[in-house]
């Protein structure tokens, strides 16, 4: 989905499932390709060759062919977790065991992504409700400064995240190392600008090493 005439800078992986945020979906599909980045949607496909997911308002749909078990986070220039209810669905664990951390495919992928992020090799972006995937394993969120939608503040706090406020609400955008978090779809364009700058800078840094 790279715009014709724009140099291919690489791929951005977007984790997605049913009931994704359509404002973000449309924005990602327009903005990042116009700056040379291909958007590739990733999910758990439940042994299917592909699955089609619909957005929360049933006005958009996406067919995903990339199984999260078959890829590495560092295959991408950056990883974004789309908002609305998609990340709640992706953290579903088919066979939970007492005393065992969440073993859903998307959470296992996120653990690898966070490890790469903390090593300075990857940027991760979340927006609105998508920190729900982090909340599935509190070790991923513990002591990290973040922002999020107001109605998941309790979830994020209980998972060990530190919510950053601005006045009477959570801040629009917060950068904590290579983790970029955003409040809700109304700030998606600001979020994309910040994320784009981060992955461009990181790509140049890695190229000079």
């Amino acid at each position: 989905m790279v715009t014709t005439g724009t140099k291919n800078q690489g791929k951005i992986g977007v984790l997605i499932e049913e009931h994704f945020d359509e404002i973000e979906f449309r924005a990602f599909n327009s903005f990042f390709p116009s700056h040379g980045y291909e958007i590739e949607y990733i999910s758990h496909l439940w042994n299917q060759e592909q699955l089609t997911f619909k957005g929360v308002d049933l006005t958009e749909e996406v067919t995903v062919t990339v199984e999260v078990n078959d890829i590495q986070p560092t295959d991408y220039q950056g990883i974004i977790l789309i908002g609305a209810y998609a990340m709640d669905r992706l953290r579903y664990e088919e066979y939970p065991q007492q005393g065992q951390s969440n073993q859903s495919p998307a959470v296992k992928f996120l653990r690898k992504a966070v490890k790469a992020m903390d090593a300075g090799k990857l940027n991760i972006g979340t927006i609105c409700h998508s920190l729900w995937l982090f909340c599935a394993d509190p070790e991923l969120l513990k002591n990290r400064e973040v922002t999020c939608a107001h109605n998941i503040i309790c979830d994020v706090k209980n998972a060990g995240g530190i919510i950053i406020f601005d006045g009477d609400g959570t801040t629009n955008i917060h950068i904590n190392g290579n983790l970029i978090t955003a409040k809700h779809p109304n700030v998606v364009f600001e979020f994309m600008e910040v994320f784009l700058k981060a992955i461009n800078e990181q790509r140049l840094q890695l190229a000079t090493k």
Side-chain angles (χ1 to χ4, degrees), residues 61-75:
E61 66 177 38
V62 60
T63 298
V64 180
T65 60
V66 181
E67 164 60 51
V68 72
N69 284 318
D70 297 339
I71 55 173
Q72 296 298 321
T74 50
D75 293 341

Side-chain angles (χ1 to χ4, degrees), residues 91-206:
R91 65 183 178 173
Y92 171 75
E93 189 176 13
E94 193 171 12
Y95 302 110
Q97 301 293 320
Q98 185 173 359
Q100 177 180 272
S101 59
N102 187 297
Q103 297 298 307
S104 67
V107 173
K108 291 166 74 173
F109 176 82
L110 183 59
R111 289 191 186 102
K112 291 186 286 186
V114 167
K115 184 176 181 180
M117 179 185 75
D118 288 340
K121 298 178 180 179
L122 186 72
N123 285 279
I124 299 177
T126 73
I127 186 166
C128 198
H129 286 64
S130 63
L131 274 178
W132 263 339
L133 194 65
F134 273 81
C135 292
D137 183 351
E139 288 301 313
L140 299 176
L141 199 52
K142 186 178 180 181
N143 295 327
R144 296 188 192 273
E145 295 182 351
V146 296
T147 188
C148 62
H150 289 179
N151 46 342
I152 67 164
I153 286 174
C154 185
D155 307 65
V156 173
K157 283 184 175 179
N158 287 340
I162 301 169
I163 305 287
I164 304 301
F165 285 81
D166 181 10
D168 293 330
T170 58
T171 191
N172 285 344
I173 306 287
H174 189 72
I175 303 171
N176 183 250
N178 287 345
L179 177 61
I180 299 164
T181 56
K183 181 177 182 177
H184 51 48
N186 288 351
V187 300
V188 67
F189 290 99
E190 183 183 354
F191 165 76
M192 292 188 299
E193 290 282 1
V194 172
F195 194 79
L196 178 67
K197 180 181 178 182
I199 61 176
N200 281 340
E201 289 177 350
Q202 185 174 62
R203 187 170 54 84
L204 291 174
Q205 290 172 1
L206 293 175

